[in-house]
Amino acid sequence: MKAVLLDAASLGEDIDLTPLRERVDQLAVHAATAPEQCRERLEGARVAIVNKVVLDGELLEGLPELKLICVLATGTNNIDMAAAERLGIRVRNVSAYGTASVAQHTLMLMLALANRLPHYQRRVAAGDWGRSDFFCLLSPTTLQLEGKRLVIVGRGELGRRVGELAEAFGMRVDYAARPGREATDPRPALAELAPRADVLSLHCPLTEATRHLVDATLLARLRPGALLINCARGGIIDEAAALDALREGRLGGLAVDSLPEEPPRHGHALIDALDEPLNLIVTPHNAWITPEARARVVQLTAENLARPLP
């Protein structure tokens, strides 16, 4: 069985690919693959292994020997799933590989926003502490998490772990109903929970039901000064509306680990706004990148390769 890994560099050079090699007869490894290189590299392969390389319907139509796509991630929006199903190509992704890593990153963002870290780093760098009349700086006001309410969208393994960690800080945790299924989900809808939220954290997939889930209307329902964290996918929040709310003081802090276009080669308004005196953090989609999590991606993918095809 010939397999082709199209974007190995997305795993990092320090990750051992031996578990994958042990599951196939031949593994061709490419650090990165441009769209125009996909067909040639996948010619004759039975398995394609990808992280973010796009495999569209036209490409899949021209690969009659391809029987399996292993995605080195949970999201499969880079695969034409309808075409794969029509052509009898199985798609297998991985999940729960980075629970500890992403939950840790989420809490880091929450703590940094609550303690207004971006503001204080700028003030210290500007010399404000050295010019202070007494031993500390008292502005801006920070947020004590104990007793505050965290609303989480997404009650999978990751969302539950974030909730557990938040409870260790004494926070009260609510989980919103699954977007698009509010009528049958016994949990309160996000719109109902928003006015009570001190912190809103997103851990749900990007779907038609969650695209711009946090829009201007939802932002207006949030408690003034609430913190918003997106460690899910870019596009789940309306970034422009969130930035407006942050600039106007209606949102107390905003932290994102993903943007709609990645990498953001054409820039993004949130990146530009990092120069402004805002409680804003943008991290480069690296919540998942601990070595343990990346090694787990490889192991889970090896298990997907080991499962028989129909």
Side-chain angles (χ1 to χ4, degrees), residues 24 48 52 88 91-92 105 126 172 219 247 252 278:
V24 296
K52 295 296 183 286
V91 179
R92 294 173 180 166
H105 194 93
R172 295 172 292 169
L219 288 163
R247 284 170 169 160
L278 300 171

Side-chain angles (χ1 to χ4, degrees), residues 7-252:
D7 48 354
S10 66
L11 290 172
E13 295 180 358
D14 56 332
I15 298 303
D16 185 7
L17 300 179
T18 299
L20 302 182
R21 300 186 193 279
E22 291 175 343
R23 297 296 184 180
V24 296
D25 299 316
Q26 177 186 353
L27 178 65
V29 178
H30 302 280
T33 300
E36 63 272 14
Q37 296 174 310
C38 286
R39 186 180 301 275
E40 178 184 355
R41 291 182 173 179
L42 290 173
E43 193 72 40
R46 192 163 185 216
V47 180
I49 305 174
V50 302
N51 191 339
K52 295 296 183 286
V53 173
V54 174
L55 303 182
D56 60 26
E58 182 180 356
L59 174 65
L60 298 179
E61 290 276 2
L63 299 169
E65 296 182 57
L66 189 65
K67 299 301 178 187
L68 173 64
I69 299 170
C70 286
V71 183
L72 300 165
T74 302
T76 57
N77 48 312
N78 55 316
I79 312 297
D80 188 330
M81 297 294 286
E85 183 176 5
R86 184 178 70 252
L87 296 167
I89 302 171
R90 289 297 179 96
V91 179
R92 294 173 180 166
N93 62 343
V94 294
S95 61
Y97 56 87
T99 300
S101 182
V102 179
Q104 170 181 306
H105 194 93
T106 301
L107 265 292
M108 178 272 292
L109 295 175
M110 190 186 305
L111 290 165
L113 290 181
N115 287 286
R116 304 313 197 249
L117 183 60
H119 282 295
Y120 278 106
Q121 287 288 274
R122 281 191 292 267
R123 291 202 64 189
V124 170
D128 290 358
W129 190 18
R131 291 188 293 269
S132 177
D133 292 333
F134 52 100
F135 69 95
C136 69
L137 297 177
L138 289 170
S139 176
T141 302
T142 58
L143 177 72
Q144 181 170 289
L145 294 180
E146 184 175 11
K148 301 303 188 294
R149 187 176 299 276
L150 167 64
V151 172
I152 297 175
V153 181
R155 202 174 186 275
E157 181 173 330
L158 175 57
R160 292 196 304 272
R161 183 57 180 154
V162 169
E164 290 168 357
L165 293 175
E167 286 173 344
F169 283 90
M171 299 188 77
R172 295 172 292 169
V173 179
D174 290 320
Y175 293 91
R178 187 170 179 177
R181 300 189 182 180
E182 289 86 353
T184 57
D185 195 315
R187 293 169 295 185
L190 177 58
E192 180 182 341
L193 291 173
R196 306 200 297 265
D198 296 292
V199 183
L200 173 59
S201 191
L202 305 174
H203 303 283
C204 54
L206 177 61
T207 66
E208 287 308 308
T210 63
R211 188 176 300 278
H212 282 193
L213 176 69
V214 181
D215 58 9
T217 300
L218 193 284
L219 288 163
R221 293 184 64 84
L222 285 174
R223 176 176 291 178
L227 308 180
L228 173 59
I229 300 167
N230 184 14
C231 279
R233 290 289 182 267
I236 294 178
I237 67 173
D238 180 340
E239 287 94 356
L243 183 55
D244 285 344
L246 188 65
R247 284 170 169 160
E248 294 166 9
R250 293 181 286 113
L251 192 62

